[in-house]
Amino acid sequence: MSAPMRAAVNSRKATRFSAGLSVLTLVLAARLPAQDQVDRRGAPMVRGDITEITRAEIVLKARGNQRDYHIPANEIERIHWQGERPQLLQIRNDERNGQFEKAIAGYEAALKESTNPNLTTDLEFLIARATASRALADEQNYDEAIKRLEKFRTAHSDNFRYFEALKLLARLYMAKPDVEKANATMKLLLEAPWTDFKMDADILQAQVALANGKVDAALGPIEKDRKSTRLNSSHITI
């Protein structure tokens, strides 16, 4: 084969290789979420761009109708962030199935690769949550989980995960046990604007009172929750 022919063949190979790389790049890019997706409890999921995050809600702007969705934090089941790796779906399932060691390792690997600040913050919480779940399941190593959650709620006090972090912290302090810190954490949890979180805080307060031998004090939060439940039921229409 002459030199000009070899050059032509090599040129065609280089072109095909370059085209192959371009296709591979497009395929990989297509697998990464191009927009945020919020899975909601008891409501359809929504996609778009998250434009605002507070401890009480997130605001997502849909790209199609340009509508702003105000989603309360206690209604958020999970968020699939723009640019997150597909493997995170399986890692979340690992955590849900009680495979905490595997989930923590997966979250930590994803954290190292994250280039989305919102995803990075959420992964920090997910690592702390899985660590807390592991500690509560094993009934040991509470301090590590407490340290992670305290660091998160201090650094991200305006994040939608804030009250969920407080709830986990209260449970950890009760399990340790550190009744004084559990009680202080529950007072913060009572600031949550949702009935379900307030009821959780009342139940934990009752547990703290019982742990201190104060039976009458324990009955107060329980009775308050019973009245709240009856009141909410009286407003239900069919």
Side-chain angles (χ1 to χ4, degrees):
M1 183 182 297
S2 65
M5 290 181 63
R6 281 198 302 271
V9 170
N10 290 336
S11 177
R12 286 196 295 271
K13 287 182 178 179
T15 300
R16 286 197 297 269
F17 180 74
S18 177
L21 282 178
S22 298
V23 171
L24 179 60
T25 300
L26 289 172
V27 169
L28 290 174
R31 290 181 179 178
L32 301 178
Q35 52 188 324
D36 300 313
Q37 176 181 311
V38 181
D39 296 343
R40 298 183 291 177
R41 297 184 178 93
M45 64 86 177
V46 289
R47 290 195 183 100
D49 300 295
I50 292 177
T51 58
E52 185 179 353
I53 296 175
T54 70
R55 64 172 59 175
E57 69 174 11
I58 66 164
V59 180
L60 179 143
K61 180 178 284 294
R63 293 185 183 180
N65 58 18
Q66 292 295 296
R67 174 183 171 183
D68 284 330
Y69 290 86
H70 291 257
I71 307 171
N74 68 324
E75 294 180 11
I76 299 171
E77 185 171 352
R78 70 184 62 85
I79 297 178
H80 304 276
W81 300 94
Q82 294 184 41
E84 75 171 42
R85 299 295 178 180
Q87 292 87 344
L88 265 177
L89 181 62
Q90 180 57 50
I91 296 169
R92 291 187 180 100
N93 287 336
D94 290 336
E95 182 191 3
R96 194 178 302 111
N97 294 331
Q99 296 178 285
F100 302 121
E101 295 286 355
K102 188 176 180 181
I104 291 167
Y107 287 143
E108 288 176 340
L111 181 61
K112 292 177 182 178
E113 298 178 352
S114 174
T115 57
N116 180 337
N118 287 333
L119 173 59
T120 296
T121 298
D122 210 28
L123 285 167
E124 290 173 359
F125 171 78
L126 294 175
I127 292 169
R129 184 178 70 183
T131 304
S133 298
R134 180 184 63 185
L136 291 167
D138 295 343
E139 298 184 352
Q140 60 182 353
N141 298 324
Y142 298 121
D143 287 340
E144 180 189 356
I146 287 170
K147 182 179 179 180
R148 286 183 181 274
L149 284 167
E150 286 286 10
K151 180 180 178 181
F152 178 86
R153 69 113 172 174
T154 301
H156 305 291
S157 60
D158 287 330
N159 190 268
F160 73 100
R161 300 285 198 179
Y162 173 78
F163 287 111
E164 188 177 352
L166 286 178
K167 189 191 296 188
L168 284 168
L169 274 170
R171 292 181 61 197
L172 288 164
Y173 282 130
M174 277 295 297
K176 191 176 175 180
D178 188 330
V179 175
E180 183 177 342
K181 287 188 176 180
N183 201 37
T185 304
M186 281 180 287
K187 288 179 180 178
L188 294 174
L189 186 58
L190 284 169
E191 297 175 5
W194 318 291
T195 302
D196 55 339
F197 273 67
K198 291 179 183 294
M199 290 178 69
D200 287 340
D202 285 337
I203 291 169
L204 287 168
Q205 274 192 320
Q207 291 175 350
V208 169
L210 287 173
N212 288 323
K214 300 177 181 178
V215 178
D216 291 340
L219 293 175
I222 294 173
E223 183 60 27
K224 185 173 74 172
D225 285 342
R226 288 177 59 190
K227 290 180 179 179
S228 176
T229 301
R230 287 198 299 269
L231 181 62
N232 289 338
S233 298
S234 68
H235 286 85
I236 296 175
T237 57
I238 301 177

Coordinates of all heavy atoms in Angstrom, one line a residue, residues 187-233:
K187 N -37.2 20.5 71.3 CA -37.8 21.8 71.3 C -37.6 22.5 70.0 O -38.4 23.3 69.5 CB -37.2 22.6 72.5 CG -37.6 22.2 73.8 CD -37.0 23.0 75.0 CE -37.4 22.6 76.3 NZ -36.7 23.3 77.4
L188 N -36.4 22.3 69.4 CA -36.2 22.8 68.0 C -37.1 22.1 67.0 O -37.6 22.8 66.1 CB -34.7 22.6 67.7 CG -33.6 23.3 68.5 CD1 -32.2 22.9 68.1 CD2 -33.8 24.8 68.3
L189 N -37.3 20.8 67.2 CA -38.2 20.1 66.3 C -39.6 20.6 66.3 O -40.3 20.6 65.3 CB -38.1 18.6 66.6 CG -38.8 17.6 65.6 CD1 -38.3 17.8 64.2 CD2 -38.7 16.2 66.1
L190 N -40.0 21.1 67.4 CA -41.4 21.6 67.6 C -41.6 22.9 66.7 O -42.8 23.3 66.5 CB -41.7 21.9 69.0 CG -42.0 20.7 69.9 CD1 -42.0 21.1 71.4 CD2 -43.3 20.1 69.5
E191 N -40.5 23.5 66.2 CA -40.6 24.7 65.4 C -41.0 24.3 63.9 O -41.3 25.2 63.1 CB -39.3 25.4 65.3 CG -38.9 26.0 66.7 CD -37.5 26.6 66.6 OE1 -36.9 26.7 65.5 OE2 -37.0 27.1 67.7
A192 N -41.0 23.0 63.6 CA -41.4 22.6 62.3 C -42.9 23.0 62.0 O -43.7 22.9 62.9 CB -41.3 21.1 62.2
P193 N -43.2 23.4 60.8 CA -44.5 23.9 60.5 C -45.6 22.9 60.2 O -46.7 23.2 59.8 CB -44.3 24.9 59.3 CG -43.1 24.2 58.6 CD -42.3 23.6 59.7
W194 N -45.2 21.6 60.4 CA -46.1 20.5 60.0 C -46.6 19.7 61.2 O -45.8 19.4 62.1 CB -45.4 19.6 58.9 CG -44.7 20.3 57.9 CD1 -45.1 21.1 56.9 CD2 -43.2 20.4 57.8 NE1 -44.1 21.7 56.2 CE2 -42.9 21.3 56.7 CE3 -42.2 19.8 58.5 CZ2 -41.6 21.5 56.3 CZ3 -40.9 20.1 58.1 CH2 -40.6 20.9 57.1
T195 N -47.8 19.3 61.1 CA -48.4 18.5 62.2 C -47.7 17.2 62.5 O -47.5 16.8 63.6 CB -49.9 18.2 61.9 OG1 -50.6 19.5 61.7 CG2 -50.6 17.5 63.1
D196 N -47.3 16.5 61.4 CA -46.7 15.2 61.6 C -45.3 15.3 62.4 O -45.0 14.5 63.2 CB -46.5 14.4 60.3 CG -45.7 15.2 59.2 OD1 -45.6 16.5 59.4 OD2 -45.2 14.6 58.3
F197 N -44.6 16.3 62.1 CA -43.3 16.5 62.8 C -43.5 16.9 64.2 O -42.8 16.5 65.1 CB -42.4 17.6 62.0 CG -41.6 17.0 61.0 CD1 -42.1 16.4 59.8 CD2 -40.2 16.9 61.1 CE1 -41.3 15.9 58.8 CE2 -39.4 16.4 60.1 CZ -40.0 15.9 59.0
K198 N -44.6 17.8 64.4 CA -44.9 18.2 65.8 C -45.3 17.0 66.6 O -45.0 16.9 67.8 CB -46.0 19.3 65.8 CG -45.5 20.6 65.2 CD -46.7 21.6 65.2 CE -46.3 22.9 64.6 NZ -45.2 23.7 65.4
M199 N -46.1 16.1 66.0 CA -46.6 14.9 66.7 C -45.4 14.0 67.1 O -45.3 13.4 68.2 CB -47.6 14.2 65.9 CG -48.9 14.9 65.8 SD -50.1 14.0 64.8 CE -50.5 12.6 65.8
D200 N -44.4 13.9 66.2 CA -43.2 13.1 66.4 C -42.5 13.7 67.6 O -42.0 13.0 68.5 CB -42.3 13.0 65.2 CG -42.9 12.1 64.1 OD1 -43.7 11.3 64.4 OD2 -42.5 12.3 62.9
A201 N -42.4 15.0 67.6 CA -41.7 15.7 68.7 C -42.4 15.5 70.1 O -41.7 15.2 71.1 CB -41.5 17.2 68.4
D202 N -43.7 15.5 70.0 CA -44.5 15.3 71.3 C -44.3 13.9 71.8 O -44.1 13.6 73.0 CB -46.0 15.5 71.0 CG -46.3 17.0 70.9 OD1 -45.6 17.8 71.4 OD2 -47.3 17.3 70.2
I203 N -44.3 12.9 70.9 CA -44.0 11.5 71.3 C -42.7 11.3 71.9 O -42.5 10.7 72.9 CB -44.2 10.5 70.1 CG1 -45.7 10.5 69.7 CG2 -43.8 9.1 70.4 CD1 -46.0 9.8 68.4
L204 N -41.7 11.9 71.3 CA -40.3 11.9 71.8 C -40.2 12.6 73.2 O -39.5 12.1 74.1 CB -39.3 12.5 70.8 CG -39.0 11.6 69.6 CD1 -38.3 12.5 68.5 CD2 -38.3 10.4 69.9
Q205 N -40.9 13.7 73.3 CA -41.0 14.4 74.6 C -41.6 13.5 75.7 O -41.1 13.5 76.9 CB -41.8 15.7 74.5 CG -41.0 16.9 74.0 CD -41.7 18.2 74.2 OE1 -42.9 18.3 74.0 NE2 -41.0 19.2 74.6
A206 N -42.6 12.8 75.4 CA -43.2 11.9 76.3 C -42.2 10.8 76.7 O -42.2 10.4 77.9 CB -44.5 11.2 75.7
Q207 N -41.5 10.3 75.8 CA -40.4 9.3 76.1 C -39.4 9.8 77.0 O -38.9 9.1 77.9 CB -39.8 8.8 74.8 CG -40.8 7.9 73.9 CD -40.2 7.6 72.6 OE1 -39.1 8.0 72.2 NE2 -40.8 6.7 71.9
V208 N -39.0 11.1 76.8 CA -38.0 11.7 77.7 C -38.6 11.8 79.1 O -37.9 11.5 80.1 CB -37.6 13.1 77.2 CG1 -36.8 13.9 78.2 CG2 -36.8 13.0 75.9
A209 N -39.9 12.2 79.2 CA -40.5 12.4 80.5 C -40.6 11.0 81.2 O -40.3 10.9 82.4 CB -41.9 13.0 80.4
L210 N -40.9 10.0 80.5 CA -41.0 8.6 81.1 C -39.6 8.2 81.5 O -39.4 7.5 82.6 CB -41.5 7.6 80.1 CG -43.0 7.7 79.8 CD1 -43.5 6.8 78.7 CD2 -43.8 7.4 81.1
A211 N -38.6 8.5 80.7 CA -37.2 8.1 81.1 C -36.8 8.8 82.4 O -35.9 8.3 83.1 CB -36.2 8.5 80.0
N212 N -37.4 10.0 82.7 CA -37.1 10.7 84.0 C -38.0 10.3 85.1 O -38.0 10.9 86.1 CB -37.1 12.2 83.7 CG -35.9 12.6 82.9 OD1 -34.8 12.1 83.1 ND2 -36.0 13.6 82.1
G213 N -38.9 9.3 84.8 CA -39.9 8.9 85.8 C -41.0 9.9 86.0 O -41.8 9.8 87.0
K214 N -41.3 10.8 85.0 CA -42.3 11.8 85.2 C -43.5 11.3 84.3 O -43.7 11.8 83.2 CB -41.8 13.1 84.7 CG -40.6 13.7 85.5 CD -40.1 15.0 85.0 CE -38.9 15.5 85.8 NZ -38.4 16.8 85.3
V215 N -44.3 10.5 84.9 CA -45.5 9.9 84.2 C -46.5 11.0 83.8 O -47.0 11.0 82.7 CB -46.1 8.8 85.0 CG1 -47.3 8.2 84.3 CG2 -45.1 7.7 85.3
D216 N -46.8 11.8 84.7 CA -47.8 12.9 84.4 C -47.4 13.8 83.3 O -48.2 14.2 82.4 CB -48.1 13.7 85.7 CG -48.8 12.9 86.8 OD1 -49.5 11.9 86.4 OD2 -48.8 13.3 87.9
A217 N -46.1 14.1 83.3 CA -45.5 15.0 82.3 C -45.6 14.3 80.9 O -45.7 14.9 79.9 CB -44.1 15.4 82.6
A218 N -45.4 13.0 80.9 CA -45.5 12.2 79.7 C -46.9 12.2 79.1 O -47.0 12.1 77.9 CB -45.0 10.8 79.9
L219 N -47.9 12.2 79.9 CA -49.2 12.1 79.4 C -49.7 13.4 78.7 O -50.5 13.4 77.8 CB -50.2 11.9 80.6 CG -50.1 10.5 81.3 CD1 -51.0 10.4 82.5 CD2 -50.4 9.4 80.3
G220 N -49.1 14.5 79.0 CA -49.4 15.8 78.4 C -49.3 15.8 76.9 O -50.3 16.1 76.2
P221 N -48.1 15.5 76.3 CA -47.9 15.5 74.9 C -48.8 14.5 74.2 O -49.3 14.7 73.1 CB -46.4 15.2 74.7 CG -45.8 15.6 76.0 CD -46.8 15.3 77.1
I222 N -49.0 13.3 74.9 CA -49.8 12.3 74.3 C -51.2 12.7 74.1 O -51.9 12.5 73.1 CB -49.7 11.0 75.1 CG1 -48.3 10.4 75.0 CG2 -50.7 9.9 74.6 CD1 -48.0 9.2 75.9
E223 N -51.8 13.3 75.2 CA -53.1 13.8 75.2 C -53.3 14.9 74.1 O -54.3 15.0 73.5 CB -53.5 14.3 76.6 CG -55.0 14.8 76.7 CD -56.0 13.7 76.4 OE1 -55.7 12.5 76.6 OE2 -57.1 14.1 75.9
K224 N -52.3 15.8 74.0 CA -52.3 16.8 73.0 C -52.4 16.3 71.6 O -53.2 16.7 70.7 CB -51.1 17.7 73.1 CG -51.2 18.9 72.2 CD -50.0 19.9 72.4 CE -48.7 19.4 71.9 NZ -47.6 20.4 72.0
D225 N -51.7 15.2 71.3 CA -51.7 14.5 70.0 C -53.1 13.9 69.8 O -53.6 13.9 68.7 CB -50.6 13.5 69.9 CG -49.3 14.1 69.7 OD1 -49.2 15.3 69.3 OD2 -48.2 13.4 69.9
R226 N -53.7 13.3 70.8 CA -55.0 12.7 70.7 C -56.0 13.7 70.3 O -56.9 13.5 69.4 CB -55.4 12.0 72.0 CG -54.6 10.7 72.2 CD -55.0 10.1 73.6 NE -56.5 9.8 73.6 CZ -57.1 9.5 74.7 NH1 -56.5 9.4 75.9 NH2 -58.4 9.2 74.6
K227 N -56.0 14.9 70.9 CA -56.9 16.0 70.6 C -56.7 16.5 69.2 O -57.6 16.8 68.5 CB -56.7 17.1 71.6 CG -57.2 16.8 73.0 CD -57.0 18.0 74.0 CE -57.5 17.7 75.4 NZ -57.3 18.8 76.3
S228 N -55.4 16.6 68.8 CA -55.1 17.1 67.5 C -55.6 16.1 66.4 O -56.1 16.5 65.4 CB -53.6 17.3 67.3 OG -53.2 17.6 66.0
T229 N -55.5 14.8 66.7 CA -56.0 13.8 65.7 C -57.5 13.8 65.6 O -58.0 13.8 64.5 CB -55.5 12.4 66.2 OG1 -54.1 12.4 66.3 CG2 -56.0 11.3 65.2
R230 N -58.2 14.0 66.8 CA -59.6 14.1 66.7 C -60.1 15.3 65.9 O -61.0 15.3 65.2 CB -60.2 14.1 68.1 CG -60.2 12.8 68.8 CD -61.1 12.7 70.0 NE -60.8 13.8 71.0 CZ -60.0 13.6 72.0 NH1 -59.4 12.4 72.2 NH2 -59.8 14.5 72.9
L231 N -59.4 16.5 66.2 CA -59.7 17.7 65.5 C -59.5 17.6 64.0 O -60.4 18.0 63.2 CB -58.8 18.9 66.0 CG -59.1 20.2 65.4 CD1 -60.5 20.7 65.8 CD2 -58.1 21.3 66.0
N232 N -58.4 17.0 63.6 CA -58.2 16.8 62.1 C -59.2 15.9 61.5 O -59.6 16.1 60.4 CB -56.8 16.3 61.9 CG -55.7 17.3 62.2 OD1 -55.9 18.5 62.2 ND2 -54.5 16.8 62.5
S233 N -59.6 14.8 62.2 CA -60.6 13.9 61.7 C -61.9 14.5 61.5 O -62.7 14.2 60.6 CB -60.7 12.7 62.7 OG -59.5 12.0 62.8

